[in-house]
Amino acid sequence: MLPSRVPLLRLLRINRVPARKVHVSPPSWTFLHGLPAANRDIHGDSPPTVPALTSSYVRGTSSSPFVLHTVGEVLQRTVERFPDREALVFVEQGVRKTFEQFQRDVDCVATGLLAIGLTKGDRLCVWGPNSYGWVLMQFATAKAGIILVCMNSAFQTQEADYVLRKVQCKAVVCPAHFKTHDYCDVLRRICPEIESSSPGNIRSSRLPDLRSVVVLDDRPPGMFSLEEVMQLGTSRHLQQLRDQQRNLSCDDPIKILFTSGTTGFPKAVTLSHFNVINNSNLFGIRSEYDRRSDVRIGIPVPMFHCFGAVLAGITMAVHGASLVFPSAEYKLKVLLDTLQDERCTILFGTPTIFVDIINYQHLNKYDLSSVYGGVIGGSPCAPELMKDIIFTLGIKEISIGYGCTELSPCAFSNHPKDSQERRTQTVGYILPHTEAKIVNPSTGEVAPLGETGDIMVRGYCVMQGYWGDEDKAEESVSEDGWYRTGDSGSLDAYGYLQIKGRAKDLIIRGGENIYPAEIEKTLHTHPKVQEAQVVGVEDFRMGEEICAFIKLGDGQDSAVQEIRDYCRGKIASYKIPRYVLFVNRFPISSSGKILKSELRKQAEKMLGMKKP
């Protein structure tokens, strides 16, 4: 269940009249005292031009009010505005849907879910790669008041068992299989009673809440097919759906996403309609999606993470953007074909995806002239990569979104009119109706302007909590509503944020605090280096030493001393890597994040520090 913190976070977030469908002024915040508004406020509607900040605290203001609708209501309004506009394209599936067609399918699925016994507040888990069925479930559950649980498509038996038990899922939706992953077989191993049950009547000792499994592309024993579910809804269920819409609140939880933590089991981040609608709305306004009618976003990122589910999926409903999915999972050539043939104007991707595109040997055969903008998320982006995207790919309006799942997910972002320096050196400025501060990690006090410290964020975007983990929520969110991001960074006088690295990735060498991102930034300027990652490894004398992993460009050759010599004079001598390891690839998660914990293990093995 949700932690008791939720009412507190709501009180900190909003102060509004009872009428849900009336837009109101921004909330009354508990601001830091002692600073005049001119020295803490950044108006988010255009890039800051005045150095307003005098300390490392900022709040975003805007002429755009909060949206107090549910996801179903927002989608309905967009359908009324753009009924014949293309909403979704799934290239490999051969699916094309206008907003009006998509709305009809959503209603069929939503009434079908009610018909098989799901009710408001039940949890339905979607498990699998990107597909039309995935997006249908995202909106059908939102309309029916069912909470969508987003499970990583790569999860295996132990991980899936944990997720389903953690949030007490009543239904699971998945493909029968994808590539080598047999989803139905995994479910049978966890819940062997499925095969002997009738669809919708599963009784399992291990998963006592589970009743139904819906398969997107098949109908195995004991399970529904998606097509079957879409045909089960009757006029009675349609009326039930309409009644349910009137009883939903924008404060109701809408989805649970699991953090991609590298230690222990992931935490179940719970977000509301209010969280995701306003974050996607304000991010879209920052990106000027509301001013354009040609927004066609290429989506190679997975929908089970917030980047895809919110900044893509919910943005479609809020701003009427068209989403184009090249394939179920990321495939470089299919992505390039799609960007060209579908005339996409925006590309969402992790740094890894953009690196792949830039280094693709046949890139000059593609016409990507329609792609004027892009968003990088999921992991930090090197300044040199940003320059390559701007000048090699010609994507002039590339931006970085900074945040995390717990922030719905975005707190900072660039503006399309930001200078090249702002794009390459920062992650943008604060989004509206949000506060941020940099604090001294030892004292907790707000740091002087420009000084590096721990990044904290407060506002409407902060999660409702971790499902079933009140203690962990209290560790992450302070009593007065500040979310501890775990990142280190600094603010300049204009309110732009520079990320220095993860606090947990901080290397302490002989008492000196060293941020890997600073060294990585230097290494990325080496003409032979395609990608670099820096980690700390244990050292008896110094506590930790610096180890750089280097991936060279195609056809390039280098040596350890060349890399070390290149760093001399560019960074302090104590920051020069003691160890340099050349690799062909980096360990990455299914969402494209480089796993530094795995790199540390590799370093210890390759350097003979620990037994394999």
Side-chain angles (χ1 to χ4, degrees), residues 352-526:
T352 303
I353 290 172
F354 284 95
V355 168
D356 288 349
I357 293 174
I358 290 167
N359 290 284
Y360 185 55
Q361 58 181 338
H362 301 303
L363 180 62
N364 59 358
K365 295 181 179 179
Y366 288 90
D367 176 10
L368 304 182
S369 58
S370 64
V371 184
Y372 58 73
V375 179
I376 300 176
S379 59
C381 179
E384 292 305 308
L385 174 57
M386 285 292 285
K387 291 177 183 177
D388 283 343
I389 293 169
I390 294 170
F391 294 110
T392 302
L393 297 183
I395 302 178
K396 305 301 182 185
E397 297 184 14
I398 188 71
S399 64
I400 298 176
Y402 167 74
C404 58
T405 306
E406 287 88 342
L407 295 177
S408 305
C410 197
F412 284 78
S413 179
N414 295 113
H415 190 281
K417 294 183 176 64
D418 274 343
S419 67
Q420 178 189 322
E421 181 182 2
R422 296 294 192 198
R423 294 177 193 286
T424 58
Q425 302 296 327
T426 77
V427 294
Y429 59 102
I430 194 79
L431 283 178
H433 310 314
T434 308
E435 296 173 276
K437 62 181 178 179
I438 310 296
V439 301
N440 183 302
S442 300
T443 66
E445 298 295 319
V446 175
L449 192 64
E451 188 171 297
T452 297
D454 293 346
I455 303 169
M456 300 182 72
V457 175
R458 180 168 67 174
Y460 76 91
C461 58
V462 175
M463 64 177 177
Q464 288 194 327
Y466 294 126
W467 191 280
D469 282 318
E470 185 170 356
D471 290 344
K472 289 181 180 177
E474 290 177 351
E475 291 173 8
S476 298
V477 185
S478 68
E479 283 297 322
D480 53 353
W482 287 99
Y483 173 70
R484 304 174 179 92
T485 67
D487 292 323
S488 300
S490 65
L491 284 168
D492 68 18
Y494 294 85
Y496 284 85
L497 177 67
Q498 277 194 326
I499 303 297
K500 303 298 183 180
R502 290 289 293 169
K504 66 181 180 182
D505 291 334
L506 178 72
I507 300 170
I508 304 177
R509 180 186 181 275
E512 295 283 359
N513 290 351
I514 300 168
Y515 292 94
E518 181 183 359
I519 304 172
E520 290 164 358
K521 177 180 175 181
T522 299
L523 293 171
H524 277 113
T525 64
H526 192 295

Side-chain angles (χ1 to χ4, degrees), residues 151-184:
M151 183 152 65
N152 191 310
S153 63
F155 276 10
Q156 299 296 323
T157 305
Q158 182 180 356
E159 299 152 315
D161 177 67
Y162 169 79
V163 167
L164 299 177
R165 287 161 57 85
K166 177 70 176 176
V167 298
Q168 305 94 37
C169 289
K170 191 172 182 179
V172 178
V173 178
C174 63
H177 53 78
F178 180 73
K179 298 179 70 173
T180 60
H181 200 334
D182 191 326
Y183 293 96
C184 291

Side-chain angles (χ1 to χ4, degrees), residues 175-236:
H177 53 78
F178 180 73
K179 298 179 70 173
T180 60
H181 200 334
D182 191 326
Y183 293 96
C184 291
D185 185 58
V186 171
L187 288 173
R188 291 187 197 99
R189 289 201 295 270
I190 300 171
C191 178
E193 298 93 339
I194 289 176
E195 277 199 300
S196 59
S197 301
S198 59
N201 195 35
I202 297 170
R203 293 294 187 271
S204 168
S205 57
R206 185 160 186 81
L207 299 175
D209 299 284
L210 184 65
R211 292 293 177 268
S212 299
V213 175
V214 180
V215 181
L216 296 174
D217 51 4
D218 200 354
R219 192 190 183 284
M223 308 180 193
F224 292 108
S225 68
L226 175 59
E227 183 179 357
E228 183 179 7
V229 170
M230 292 179 72
Q231 295 173 357
L232 287 176
T234 65
S235 58
R236 177 174 64 85

Side-chain angles (χ1 to χ4, degrees), residues 64-137:
S64 300
F66 282 128
V67 178
L68 303 180
H69 295 280
T70 64
V71 166
E73 291 168 336
V74 166
L75 177 61
Q76 180 61 42
R77 295 173 65 195
T78 298
V79 170
E80 292 170 358
R81 292 167 60 205
F82 312 117
D84 299 322
R85 177 182 290 180
E86 211 163 50
L88 292 160
V89 178
F90 285 83
V91 175
E92 280 196 337
Q93 279 188 282
V95 173
R96 289 181 184 275
K97 298 288 181 177
T98 65
F99 276 97
E100 189 170 56
Q101 291 168 336
F102 177 60
Q103 171 86 309
R104 285 200 297 267
D105 286 351
V106 167
D107 285 346
C108 285
V109 174
T111 55
L113 294 177
L114 296 177
I116 65 173
L118 275 78
T119 60
K120 180 182 177 182
D122 286 340
R123 273 76 65 202
L124 177 150
C125 175
V126 178
W127 183 26
N130 292 352
S131 68
Y132 182 53
W134 205 110
V135 182
L136 275 177
M137 286 296 164

Side-chain angles (χ1 to χ4, degrees), residues 12 35 179 228 280 462 578:
L12 287 167
L35 291 174
K179 298 179 70 173
E228 183 179 7
S280 60
V462 175
R578 177 176 177 182

Side-chain angles (χ1 to χ4, degrees), residues 259-267 502 504-505 587-589 593-601:
T259 57
S260 51
T262 56
T263 59
F265 284 108
K267 297 183 288 291
R502 290 289 293 169
K504 66 181 180 182
D505 291 334
I588 60 173
S589 70
K593 293 182 180 180
I594 292 175
L595 300 172
K596 288 205 169 185
S597 60
E598 292 300 315
L599 285 179
R600 291 189 194 94
K601 293 177 184 176

